[in-house]
Amino acid sequence: MNRMHELVARLNTANRVYYQENREIVSDLEYDRLYDELLELEKSSGIILAGSPTQKVGYEVVSGLTKVSHDTPMLSLDKTKDSEALAEFLGGQTGLLFWKLDGLSIVLKYENGELQQALTRGNGTVGEDVTHNARVFSNVPLTVPYKGKFDLRGEAVITLADFEAINEESKYKNPRNLCSGAVRQLNSEMAASRRVLFFAFNTADMHREPNVRHKAGSGIPTGKKSSQLEWLATQGFDIVPFELVTEQSVVEAVERFKEKISAMPWATDGLVLTYDDISYSESLGATSKFPRDSLAFKWADEQAETTLTRLEWNTSRTGLVNPVAIFEPVEIEGTQVSRASVHNVSILRELQLCPGDKITVYKANMIIPQVAENLSKNDRETAGGEAGSTGETAFEVEIPVACPVCGSATEIVGDPEALYCTSPACDAQQLRALSHFVSRDAMNIGGLSEQTLEKFLTHDIVTDYMSLFDLQLHENTILQMEGFGQKSYEKLIAAVEAAKDVALPNFIYALGIRHVGLANAKLLCSYVGHDGQKIPQLCKNDDYLEALSEIKGFGEAISHSLHNYFTQEKNTALYEKALVTMRFIMPSEDGSEKPLNGLTIVITGEVARFKNRKTLADFIETNGGRTTGSVTAKTSFLINNDIESTSGKNKKAAQLGVPVLTEDDFMEKFFPGKL
């Protein structure tokens, strides 16, 4: 499993660099070797991870989250902050002590070796069906070697590093809220983009079938929970790290866990202790609220009192203006802290923060600085109550009406309330907007890294996304920049020119409209018949909410975002200019006979007729074909401009009698007259 995770990570990184940055970090021969190794491991183990490059993931949009009753209630746990209470709880039993990850509890159901359903905890009795999202979790096995029926429980989480990166464009207080927001989306593209992970911590219902066996030998263990967790690891699941403990060792074990918190990649809000013996656990039953076989342990948050010196407002590269509390430095959990994000306007209003206030601060999950309480708020509320009869007004938090970066007007939107800069020309937003515009699933312009775009912005070469298509006007300036020579400049200009041939959904996605990912862009474009002129008309109409609600998966948030975007004059002016400049690729009509229907095609080596292999793969799939990464007996043909190549794919094709075509052969055979 470690090797499979390593291969998935290496291959996905190689794909991202190749397709997004137009460069290679491994040779085709090495890529093929790694890919074939992963394919063989998947075949021999019976495990396929959701993030595997051998799988073509299609994002799914559902109209709503279906409510489903749990087979076994998901009760919450009784809690303690006293580690000695854990020892008393164990008595003479052996226990399982593991991290209480701070995410969203999920039940996964498997049958016939495949993931069948995923449910949230919900109210413990009834959860929500989020199967469409679980299928794109980074590490959930889509298939497992065991063919019997079993359910398991675990926690969906987002790493702290990803939380910090993603939250720059969001308004979530902690990774748990961000994860919950991703998992409960109707569009699975969100869960995929937020890199949700799943860690198994419990077996919900193993449907013990003694006659069912898997490749590792025996069936599901029935005696110990630790054995069941280890068995789940053989099925491809990441399991939560745990220790076996006794009454004598549990207190020291708690301290060992505590020492590891600072190095934890995920947020944790404590530990869970449960009896290892399954029969003993089942004999205890449960109260109306808690199971009697488990207990949650939470560390007491170390709080410090300090004085708020000021509030700062920071504009992120997506326009979100975040309030940050700056206070007199205090030491918490062994480190000195002096600032904490307040996350959004709603939290700021609740805390009623203003300079000079006495506040208490702590580290959420012993990692993220937070404001716990405003001690001065109580005094003001008391004074306000007494002054009510005299007509004095209540305290009000001062919200900036201008962006601290560009000075443009700000706008409060959403629930919880968040503050945004209304100017798309804001310096804080432009770099991220342009980086998104040129990314792989958007305009797919190679050679325009964030560092290069930053240089172009600094030299006023680029002012908006349409100015990217006028780079040739700045040839002399670009050639004088570090990292550019004549060849790299010409390659960049060619990439920009080739990007004008783009599907309308990719262009709409490239605009970076809030809540409009690629899947939603495809739905929108399909609704208007891929007529780009109709989109602004649809979104600007007074009845836009009613009109857009007819699109599957479109709610008020998406509709408002589209309306706000297309009612801004600068946006519509650039959009109209783009409609003239772009050469939009129209999809084939539904139901029409496509020239590559039923064909499975593999691409390798450098391409010449197409911008890159991704563009060729998209062309093949648009015309009814299917692309895969490995040559098998089911492969229709291999495309390689070097027919005589001794690459692994060419050798495999020769062994299996699979034809090898150049790009010219391919075009002449299936698209005569279009070469």
Side-chain angles (χ1 to χ4, degrees):
M1 283 309 305
N2 288 340
R3 181 58 176 165
M4 287 177 69
H5 280 292
E6 179 186 343
L7 289 169
V8 168
R10 286 189 65 186
L11 291 167
N12 284 340
T13 299
N15 280 330
R16 176 181 57 78
V17 169
Y18 182 85
Y19 290 122
Q20 294 184 22
E21 302 176 20
N22 202 24
R23 61 187 179 91
E24 294 186 6
I25 56 174
V26 296
S27 66
D28 281 347
L29 183 63
E30 176 69 0
Y31 183 92
D32 292 346
R33 185 187 69 78
L34 296 173
Y35 188 98
D36 290 343
E37 181 185 352
L38 176 60
L39 208 61
E40 184 59 35
L41 286 173
E42 290 177 342
K43 181 179 178 181
S44 62
S45 69
I47 298 166
I48 299 177
L49 298 173
S52 172
T54 66
Q55 305 300 300
K56 182 171 177 58
V57 176
Y59 299 127
E60 184 181 351
V61 179
V62 298
S63 58
L65 297 179
T66 304
K67 299 290 192 296
V68 180
S69 296
H70 291 296
D71 295 334
T72 306
M74 293 184 70
L75 302 177
S76 57
L77 299 180
D78 201 2
K79 300 175 180 63
T80 182
K81 291 187 177 182
D82 181 6
S83 59
E84 294 293 342
L86 298 180
E88 184 179 343
F89 173 83
L90 275 177
Q93 292 290 323
T94 298
L96 208 64
L97 186 68
F98 55 86
W99 294 110
K100 188 174 184 293
L101 300 180
D102 197 15
L104 186 70
S105 294
I106 298 288
V107 174
L108 299 182
K109 296 174 175 287
Y110 285 79
E111 191 171 1
N112 299 321
E114 295 184 355
L115 173 63
Q116 300 294 330
Q117 192 174 50
L119 303 175
T120 65
R121 178 182 181 277
N123 63 8
T125 302
V126 177
E128 293 172 318
D129 191 321
V130 291
T131 311
H132 64 299
N133 284 327
R135 291 187 186 281
V136 297
F137 288 178
S138 297
N139 63 339
V140 164
L142 300 177
T143 66
V144 296
Y146 182 74
K147 303 307 177 187
K149 183 179 179 182
F150 68 98
D151 301 351
L152 69 149
R153 293 175 182 172
E155 199 80 358
V157 298
I158 290 175
T159 67
L160 291 166
D162 284 340
F163 170 70
E164 292 298 328
I166 296 168
N167 211 40
E168 184 173 298
E169 55 190 75
S170 304
K171 51 183 182 294
Y172 293 93
K173 187 175 182 179
N174 51 51
R176 179 186 66 251
N177 291 351
L178 178 60
C179 183
S180 177
V183 174
R184 299 182 68 253
Q185 290 283 328
L186 300 181
N187 190 331
S188 65
E189 185 179 8
M190 180 67 76
S193 68
R194 289 181 173 174
R195 298 183 288 279
V196 179
L197 297 166
F198 176 86
F199 290 89
F201 60 69
N202 195 356
T203 51
D205 187 356
M206 300 309 283
H207 303 280
R208 301 184 186 103
E209 302 169 63
N211 296 323
V212 178
R213 297 291 182 264
H214 65 90
K215 294 182 180 180
S218 64
I220 298 171
T222 59
K224 304 293 183 183
K225 295 177 185 177
S226 56
S227 298
Q228 288 193 341
L229 281 176
E230 289 166 352
W231 178 83
L232 286 173
T234 71
Q235 300 299 300
F237 296 95
D238 284 330
I239 60 174
V240 65
F242 68 87
E243 276 193 37
L244 287 173
V245 293
T246 63
E247 181 180 5
Q248 291 73 33
S249 66
V250 66
V251 174
E252 290 184 4
V254 168
E255 290 304 310
R256 284 195 296 274
F257 274 92
K258 185 175 182 180
E259 291 171 2
K260 298 175 184 177
I261 288 178
S262 61
M264 278 281 285
W266 328 281
T268 171
D269 56 356
L271 301 171
V272 173
L273 179 64
T274 185
Y275 298 120
D276 191 33
D277 187 280
I278 294 174
S279 296
Y280 182 73
S281 287
E282 291 177 344
S283 70
L284 298 175
T287 69
S288 60
K289 292 184 177 180
F290 310 119
R292 291 192 174 96
D293 71 332
S294 302
L295 186 64
F297 171 80
K298 300 195 73 172
W299 283 283
D301 292 319
E302 181 182 331
Q303 295 191 10
E305 185 176 322
T306 184
T307 301
L308 182 72
T309 57
R310 68 185 186 277
L311 284 172
E312 286 185 357
W313 293 84
N314 295 336
T315 306
S316 75
R317 289 183 291 181
T318 56
L320 181 65
V321 186
N322 288 308
V324 179
I326 311 299
F327 43 83
E328 293 179 357
V330 288
E331 187 170 301
I332 306 176
E333 308 290 353
T335 60
Q336 196 172 75
V337 294
S338 60
R339 57 192 292 125
S341 173
V342 188
H343 303 292
N344 58 53
V345 172
S346 292
I347 295 172
L348 183 63
R349 290 194 199 280
E350 180 183 348
L351 289 170
Q352 295 188 9
L353 294 174
C354 67
D357 283 351
K358 294 294 182 183
I359 61 175
T360 56
V361 294
Y362 71 106
K363 283 186 178 179
N365 306 128
M366 302 180 75
I367 296 174
I368 305 171
Q370 302 276 295
V371 177
E373 185 180 5
N374 184 355
L375 302 176
S376 301
K377 172 186 173 184
N378 296 333
D379 296 337
R380 277 200 296 271
E381 288 178 343
T382 301
E386 294 171 352
S389 59
T390 65
E392 292 186 21
T393 58
F395 173 84
E396 180 64 29
V397 176
E398 184 177 349
I399 309 297
V401 296
C403 170
V405 173
C406 70
S408 299
T410 57
E411 175 187 22
I412 296 177
V413 297
D415 183 18
E417 294 179 315
L419 189 68
Y420 284 90
C421 171
T422 59
S423 173
C426 178
D427 289 342
Q429 300 182 56
Q430 277 190 298
L431 182 59
R432 171 57 68 86
L434 289 170
S435 294
H436 172 77
F437 186 82
V438 304
S439 63
R440 173 184 172 181
D441 289 333
M443 298 301 290
N444 194 22
I445 305 177
L448 281 175
S449 66
E450 189 166 295
Q451 292 79 6
T452 299
L453 288 168
E454 191 167 10
K455 291 178 184 178
F456 286 177
L457 284 167
T458 302
H459 288 81
D460 292 326
I461 293 172
V462 173
T463 55
D464 52 55
Y465 68 81
M466 285 308 299
S467 63
L468 290 170
F469 299 95
D470 295 323
L471 293 180
Q472 69 276 9
L473 301 177
H474 306 276
E475 178 177 358
N476 292 335
T477 305
I478 295 174
L479 287 173
Q480 292 172 17
M481 290 181 176
E482 183 180 353
F484 273 99
Q486 188 65 40
K487 186 175 181 180
S488 57
Y489 167 77
E490 290 175 357
K491 188 176 181 180
L492 174 60
I493 296 302
V496 171
E497 179 62 27
K500 293 178 182 177
D501 295 302
V502 63
L504 183 61
N506 296 83
F507 171 70
I508 296 298
Y509 170 63
L511 297 178
I513 304 170
R514 197 175 303 145
H515 305 307
V516 182
L518 184 55
N520 285 335
K522 289 178 179 178
L523 293 171
L524 175 64
C525 294
S526 177
Y527 182 75
V528 298
H530 289 266
D531 184 346
Q533 294 282 3
K534 291 182 179 179
I535 292 176
Q537 299 168 11
L538 178 68
C539 298
K540 291 167 70 173
N541 284 344
D542 292 339
D543 60 349
Y544 72 94
L545 276 177
E546 182 179 351
L548 290 170
S549 67
E550 296 181 12
I551 303 175
K552 182 180 179 181
F554 273 42
E556 287 193 11
I558 298 173
S559 300
H560 281 312
S561 189
L562 284 164
H563 177 73
N564 289 340
Y565 185 88
F566 284 107
T567 50
Q568 294 186 36
E569 186 176 343
K570 180 177 179 180
N571 292 341
T572 53
L574 284 171
Y575 185 85
E576 291 297 330
K577 186 177 179 181
L579 291 182
V580 176
T581 304
M582 305 302 167
R583 300 181 290 264
F584 290 115
I585 302 169
M586 293 298 293
S588 300
E589 294 182 9
D590 292 338
S592 63
E593 187 64 26
K594 298 177 181 179
L596 302 178
N597 276 352
L599 298 180
T600 300
I601 303 164
V602 177
I603 309 165
T604 193
E606 294 186 1
V607 294
R609 297 288 178 182
F610 291 81
K611 183 166 55 176
N612 51 42
R613 289 190 296 195
K614 171 67 165 57
T615 308
L616 174 53
D618 289 343
F619 177 81
I620 288 169
E621 293 177 10
T622 298
N623 285 282
R626 175 173 175 260
T627 59
T628 62
S630 184
V631 176
T632 69
K634 295 182 179 180
T635 302
S636 303
F637 56 87
L638 168 69
I639 296 179
N640 189 349
N641 285 324
D642 185 359
I643 297 285
E644 305 302 324
S645 169
T646 57
S647 72
K649 286 189 174 71
N650 276 47
K651 288 180 180 178
K652 195 68 174 284
Q655 292 172 3
L656 298 174
V658 173
V660 182
L661 306 181
T662 66
E663 281 178 276
D664 287 351
D665 295 335
F666 164 67
M667 293 298 292
E668 185 176 349
K669 181 178 178 66
F670 295 99
F671 304 94
K674 295 184 179 180
L675 188 62

